[in-house]
Amino acid sequence: MSVFRLAWNGVPQWVFHQVAWWCCVLGPEPWGWISMAVFVAVHLGFNRGDIAPEVLLVAAATGVGLCVDGCLASSELVRYEGVQRLLGVPLWMLGLWAGFGATLRHSQRVLVASPTRALWVGAIGGPMAYGGGQGLGRLEIAGLPGFLLIGLTWALALGLLSWLMNRHQSPASRREAPDGG
């Protein structure tokens, strides 16, 4: 394992992800989601020695995000800002999901280290994150029913991503990962 990979997958990854996250949320289209694509590409470059589980999680998180936000959009309990869309989901939202997938085995691992923790983080953290997005004017949530649906879909989404992460973790990353309890 390279020193550069270990260094990247800590604070630098978290910082770069946060910058790309803010660009996605606040940046003009298409630059927001493009910044997240750059983050994901750099992340995959640093992790090319363990590329299969990384690509799997990025793809799975993006697919799960498309399902979650597609469900939320079609329910009309959540309305998103953004013109560029895939199946009704703004590309900036899909960028957020892809970036989240890239961090799951590293800087965000603690959130999904166990399926039980992932369910709770999703049920509570999902509505909080979307509430923040509403406060930033990027989406609109239709009251308590919208928040409940977000919590349910996010609990299921993070539970699934936790299961995938733990199932497809390489032996090398198991040795370097903190105890997920």
Side-chain angles (χ1 to χ4, degrees), residues 143-165:
L144 183 60
F147 280 103
L148 291 174
L149 184 58
I150 293 166
L152 175 64
T153 57
W154 263 71
L156 295 173
L158 292 194
L160 174 61
L161 291 172
S162 172
W163 177 80
L164 275 173
M165 181 192 73

Side-chain angles (χ1 to χ4, degrees), residues 62-78:
T62 305
V64 165
L66 183 61
C67 292
V68 165
D69 288 308
C71 172
L72 294 173
S74 67
S75 75
E76 298 187 7
L77 293 174
V78 179

Side-chain angles (χ1 to χ4, degrees), residues 100 104 106-126 151 154-163 165-166 178-181:
F100 183 61
L104 286 176
H106 309 287
S107 61
Q108 305 273 348
R109 178 171 172 60
V110 68
L111 301 178
V112 293
S114 75
T116 302
R117 183 180 305 158
L119 289 169
W120 282 107
V121 167
I124 296 166
W154 263 71
L156 295 173
L158 292 194
L160 174 61
L161 291 172
S162 172
W163 177 80
M165 181 192 73
N166 288 313
D179 180 60

Side-chain angles (χ1 to χ4, degrees), residues 21 65 68-70 72 78 80 89 92-93 96-97 124-141 146-147 150-151 153-154:
W21 189 94
V68 165
D69 288 308
L72 294 173
V78 179
Y80 301 93
V89 179
W92 64 268
M93 283 297 296
L96 294 177
W97 281 99
I124 296 166
M128 290 173 62
Y130 280 54
Q134 180 171 256
L136 292 170
R138 297 299 285 162
L139 55 92
E140 185 179 321
I141 304 167
F147 280 103
I150 293 166
T153 57
W154 263 71

Side-chain angles (χ1 to χ4, degrees), residues 17-97:
H17 178 251
Q18 290 302 302
V19 169
W21 189 94
W22 283 105
C23 288
C24 250
V25 173
L26 298 178
E29 294 182 79
W31 300 111
W33 64 263
I34 289 173
S35 68
M36 191 61 80
V38 169
F39 162 75
V40 170
V42 169
H43 171 77
L44 292 175
F46 274 107
N47 287 282
R48 66 185 171 270
D50 204 15
I51 196 79
E54 295 293 337
V55 170
L56 173 72
L57 281 173
V58 169
T62 305
V64 165
L66 183 61
C67 292
V68 165
D69 288 308
C71 172
L72 294 173
S74 67
S75 75
E76 298 187 7
L77 293 174
V78 179
R79 288 190 205 97
Y80 301 93
E81 294 294 320
V83 175
Q84 299 170 327
R85 294 174 181 256
L86 177 64
L87 302 175
V89 179
L91 294 183
W92 64 268
M93 283 297 296
L94 293 177
L96 294 177
W97 281 99

